[in-house]
Amino acid sequence: MHRGAGGGTLSDTSTDPAGRESAVDRARRQITAIVEQLDLRPGDRLPTEAALTERLQTSRSTVREAFRQLEQSGLVVAVQGQGRFLSATGGLRVERPMTQYESITEVLTARGYRVTSAVLSVAEAAAEPEAAAALEIEVGAPVIRLVRIRFGDDRPLVVSENTVPRELLPGPVAHRDWGGSLTAALAAHGEYVQTALATVSAVDLPAEWEQPHNLTGMGPWLLVTEVGLSITGRRVLHAKDYHRGSEISFTVLRQR
């Protein structure tokens, strides 16, 4: 679940101030969907800019920028005077790639699960060394630490420990709904998580969470540790997400 960002100007490629998908991001997603709908194979020519402009009901410059980003990612190849073609990489169907930033809710919903949450604990705390280093704040600085179980069809699939600098989510902790999206809560206060630095490892669930919450015997878990960065580059979220290894896997596309 990284979760990456494209190039171009900020106004063209990022989430807008209302948290909505930008025109270029939407066009890029729609072009990818058209490739799948047409069942294009490596070497097949994509529809022209003019055709896509009309089909997507958007501007020519938006389609051109979406194509530019697809070319940068290696999915599309442009041939002078001939058009744009699907590359060998573009012919690979990678479902929910780790190079796409998604929230836990988005990941589980895309896999067909009905998602619910249980808040195990939420409190104001002092930043511990690991989270402080990840967020580039002082050890002991005020943070909010949130621990939740995310259920898919009433089965525990992800246990998450999230740490956020206290000032980014103002107001009394008790007055906020902590069962919803944390990235949406940050966005509501002007911090839009756009990219993340992530590592994945196989681990056991911390013992203090297993027995009290009936999570024993479900390991190993895939621990995704990541730092969420806002569109300004600020480190706003340190997440440790334990994914149930028997239920969830990740796909990584490797290129030479």
Side-chain angles (χ1 to χ4, degrees):
M1 338 175 218
H2 166 133
R3 304 168 171 193
T9 63
L10 187 63
S11 61
D12 282 342
T13 63
S14 64
T15 305
D16 74 9
R20 295 170 297 198
E21 185 179 38
S22 74
V24 172
D25 288 339
R26 181 167 56 253
R28 190 176 64 239
R29 176 176 55 77
Q30 290 172 326
I31 291 171
T32 302
I34 289 170
V35 167
E36 295 188 3
Q37 291 167 6
L38 298 177
D39 196 25
L40 298 183
R41 300 300 177 189
D44 288 348
R45 182 158 48 193
L46 276 70
T48 65
E49 285 183 11
L52 287 170
T53 296
E54 181 177 356
R55 178 168 180 170
L56 303 182
Q57 293 295 292
T58 189
S59 69
R60 188 78 169 258
S61 61
T62 295
V63 172
R64 186 177 298 118
E65 175 62 17
F67 265 137
R68 188 186 70 81
Q69 293 183 17
L70 289 169
E71 290 165 19
Q72 284 186 331
S73 66
L75 300 179
V76 172
V77 176
V79 179
Q80 185 68 31
Q82 298 185 41
R84 294 180 175 88
F85 299 81
L86 189 65
S87 70
T89 299
L92 299 176
R93 301 293 190 257
V94 181
E95 298 297 329
R96 321 313 299 181
M98 284 201 71
T99 49
Q100 178 179 343
Y101 184 84
E102 295 179 304
S103 69
I104 296 298
T105 299
E106 290 172 328
V107 170
L108 297 181
T109 300
R111 293 169 185 258
Y113 291 110
R114 178 178 56 83
V115 182
T116 54
S117 300
V119 177
L120 304 187
S121 65
V122 58
E124 297 183 61
E128 297 179 352
E130 179 184 2
L135 294 170
E136 296 183 343
I137 59 178
E138 296 292 330
V139 174
V143 296
I144 295 175
R145 185 174 299 117
L146 170 65
V147 180
R148 297 183 291 183
I149 301 178
R150 313 308 290 275
F151 295 89
D153 298 337
D154 298 323
R155 291 184 295 158
L157 296 182
V158 183
V159 184
S160 300
E161 180 182 39
N162 299 297
T163 303
V164 177
R166 180 65 180 96
E167 71 271 15
L168 299 187
L169 294 176
V173 170
H175 293 176
R176 186 180 294 275
D177 176 13
W178 296 102
S181 168
L182 196 54
T183 54
L186 286 165
H189 291 282
E191 297 291 351
Y192 305 95
V193 181
Q194 186 176 30
T195 59
L197 306 172
T199 59
V200 182
S201 54
V203 300
D204 291 324
L205 199 65
E208 64 267 27
W209 294 346
E210 285 190 321
Q211 291 186 352
H213 304 292
N214 299 316
L215 299 173
T216 56
M218 296 185 182
W221 298 68
L222 293 177
L223 170 60
V224 179
T225 303
E226 62 183 354
V227 181
L229 284 75
S230 72
I231 59 177
T232 63
R234 181 175 183 178
R235 296 179 174 222
V236 298
L237 172 65
H238 179 243
K240 299 178 72 173
D241 299 323
Y242 296 79
H243 298 256
R244 191 169 172 182
S246 61
E247 301 287 339
I248 299 177
S249 62
F250 299 98
T251 301
V252 179
L253 177 62
R254 301 177 68 194
Q255 296 177 278
R256 183 176 295 278

